[in-house]
Amino acid sequence: MTEKAKVFTVGLRATKPQDSQVAKIEKLARAIGIDKFAWDKKLVAVKTHFGERGNAAFPRPVLIRPVVDLIKNGGGKPFLAETTTLYTGSRSNAVEHTETAIRHGFGIEVTGAPIFMCDGLTGRDGHMVKIDGTHYQEVSVASGIQEADALVVVSHFKGHELTSFGGAIKNLGMGCCSRSAKLAMHTTIRPTVLASKCVKCGICFDWCSAGAISQPKPDGPVVINPNLCRGCGECLISCRNSAIRINWSDDAQGVTERMVEHAYGVAKTKPGSAFYISFLMNIVPLCDCVNFSGAPVVPDIGFAASTDPVALDACCLDMVNQQIGLVGSALKEAHEPGKSKFCDLHPDLKTELQLEYAEKIGLGTRKYERINLEQ
Ligand code: SF4
Ligand code: SF4
């Protein structure tokens, strides 16, 4: 019989300084062993989410600080780890992503740690990790994540438009991999060139190591040969006219399973040296990658932590479902405690799928023992 994983939780009630949110996060971090870990001189990736510009639901930077301080007190060298996005936005290269992070308050003066984009300037830096999965035999983990000695994943638990909800597993899988991995997760269909935007400059030809992009006729359109394309995503970055289109997959189950396999690959690089903390605040319907944030669907709950990302997400999901849904939010019918909030928000998606698949491939267990540190 699989042993239950421990998930520690704290709520938000406060009547004295020791109840501050900073103190509560420190308490949680200690509960999962962050204070006792042998950090000495280790480079520690603290992976969070800086939020797309326009979004305001991402974790508060000041609440990352207690985690950073504990690692530093133990002699570790923490840095705030992020990777570039696949789509054009305010985080599609290291320069704009760092600017967005600073704008959102994640500068070193607040968090205590420098920002480092783990997949390089434009998302190309990945390290292949063998996983023997169903979709992949190997996955491209962002180099800075792979090279770090330890990983602390600080996630915002909320809804998600492709995977129903996003928490620790999503932050690991989608958040810690290179651009080519993100493309592979999102679609199995190769990119295409939008003739209406393409100025036929030919810049992308030089970036495509597969020789898949060409202009067959002198005045004709630029095209991508899907049989030659390896799905590396280089052309997406090289085109300054946003003329290369990602053919987003409508296969939500495939996207979820591919994301979970990437999460497995990332976790595989940190045996015994990965910790997970999730914020159950601002629980909005969509990911922090969108450039707005809707009304929260349940009241703020608090924080949770574990060394098992699957148990942590399973516990967070249950905690959200136990809440009373907020009137005026995007919830349609599942306001009653016990009803599945994310099934209501995203009825076409299978909410439990990422947990089931993550357990199946050995990323962790859905069986958890919840330990409320405030009792
Ligand atoms: S870089 Fe963009 S605009 Fe230039 S040829 Fe390629 S697709 Fe067209
Ligand atoms: S995704 Fe990579 S291999 Fe495919 S066309 Fe673009 S640059 Fe070439």
Side-chain angles (χ1 to χ4, degrees):
M1 204 173 77
T2 320
E3 247 182 68
K4 288 180 179 173
K6 287 188 171 70
V7 180
F8 300 90
T9 63
V10 287
L12 293 172
R13 281 195 179 185
T15 55
K16 53 189 183 304
Q18 293 89 326
D19 297 335
S20 73
Q21 290 179 13
V22 168
K24 283 170 188 255
I25 288 174
E26 187 181 323
K27 199 172 178 182
L28 267 186
R30 288 180 186 278
I32 57 172
I34 287 185
D35 60 324
K36 296 183 208 75
F37 191 73
W39 294 114
D40 192 32
K41 295 191 175 59
K42 285 188 171 64
L43 294 171
V44 187
V46 178
K47 172 67 179 76
T48 184
H49 194 310
F50 301 143
E52 185 68 15
R53 274 196 206 177
N55 190 292
F58 52 84
R60 280 184 208 148
V62 72
L63 298 179
I64 308 292
R65 182 76 184 227
V67 178
V68 167
D69 284 347
L70 273 181
I71 297 167
K72 280 184 166 176
N73 292 344
K77 313 257 178 230
F79 61 92
L80 296 193
E82 254 300 2
T83 60
T84 51
T85 59
L86 191 54
Y87 47 84
T88 313
S90 66
R91 299 176 301 131
S92 59
N93 58 61
V95 175
E96 289 176 288
H97 203 159
T98 306
E99 279 180 356
T100 299
I102 304 278
R103 179 183 278 238
H104 286 182
F106 288 91
I108 191 169
E109 66 279 10
V110 177
T111 65
I115 295 165
F116 183 72
M117 290 296 155
C118 292
D119 56 350
L121 188 64
T122 53
R124 291 185 172 96
D125 296 352
H127 179 95
M128 298 311 288
V129 174
K130 295 204 182 309
I131 61 159
D132 195 20
T134 302
H135 296 274
Y136 306 103
Q137 291 304 298
E138 54 182 9
V139 294
S140 176
V141 175
S143 298
I145 297 282
Q146 192 274 335
E147 288 168 28
D149 300 306
L151 178 63
V152 180
V153 180
V154 183
S155 309
H156 172 214
F157 195 84
K158 72 277 168 187
H160 194 276
E161 52 281 16
L162 268 178
T163 57
S164 187
F165 69 87
I169 298 172
K170 177 165 181 302
N171 207 359
L172 264 183
M174 203 63 83
C176 292
C177 288
S178 70
R179 180 184 291 266
S180 62
K182 290 188 180 87
L183 183 61
M185 278 180 256
H186 276 295
T187 183
T188 51
I189 308 163
R190 297 313 189 202
T192 45
V193 177
L194 278 173
S196 58
K197 290 192 173 178
C198 177
V199 298
K200 301 175 186 172
C201 63
I203 290 172
C204 57
F205 296 14
D206 296 333
W207 284 101
C208 181
S209 59
I213 313 179
S214 64
Q215 189 179 11
K217 291 182 187 160
D219 289 326
V222 172
V223 293
I224 293 175
N225 182 336
N227 298 319
L228 294 177
C229 173
R230 293 194 285 251
C232 67
E234 295 281 336
C235 52
L236 300 168
I237 318 155
S238 64
C239 179
R240 301 288 180 226
N241 297 297
S242 303
I244 313 258
R245 184 175 68 182
I246 304 163
N247 293 299
W248 300 101
S249 175
D250 57 3
D251 167 23
Q253 173 156 347
V255 174
T256 302
E257 290 184 1
R258 293 193 290 269
M259 179 189 80
V260 172
E261 290 198 7
H262 279 82
Y264 179 84
V266 175
K268 197 181 164 196
T269 69
K270 301 288 172 286
S273 55
F275 303 87
Y276 304 90
I277 299 174
S278 287
F279 290 19
L280 292 118
M281 298 168 81
N282 286 321
I283 302 163
V284 292
L286 303 176
C287 183
D288 297 342
C289 294
V290 298
N291 55 7
F292 61 92
S293 35
V297 295
V298 294
D300 285 351
I301 300 169
F303 310 99
S306 181
T307 51
D308 184 320
V310 184
L312 178 59
D313 276 358
C315 179
C316 289
L317 185 60
D318 289 343
M319 288 167 78
V320 168
N321 288 338
Q322 284 155 12
Q323 302 300 306
I324 297 177
L326 291 174
V327 175
S329 70
L331 275 182
K332 293 177 277 295
E333 294 173 346
H335 296 84
E336 214 178 289
K339 294 211 163 162
S340 173
K341 309 298 184 272
F342 298 122
C343 286
D344 178 290
L345 293 167
H346 305 295
D348 297 331
L349 304 175
K350 265 184 82 181
T351 298
E352 297 283 337
L353 177 64
Q354 55 176 305
L355 298 175
E356 288 167 10
Y357 194 66
E359 186 175 66
K360 184 178 162 192
I361 68 171
L363 178 58
T365 176
R366 281 182 290 170
K367 296 189 185 71
Y368 66 86
E369 177 191 1
R370 181 179 164 193
I371 300 163
N372 184 346
L373 294 179
E374 289 176 320
Q375 282 177 344

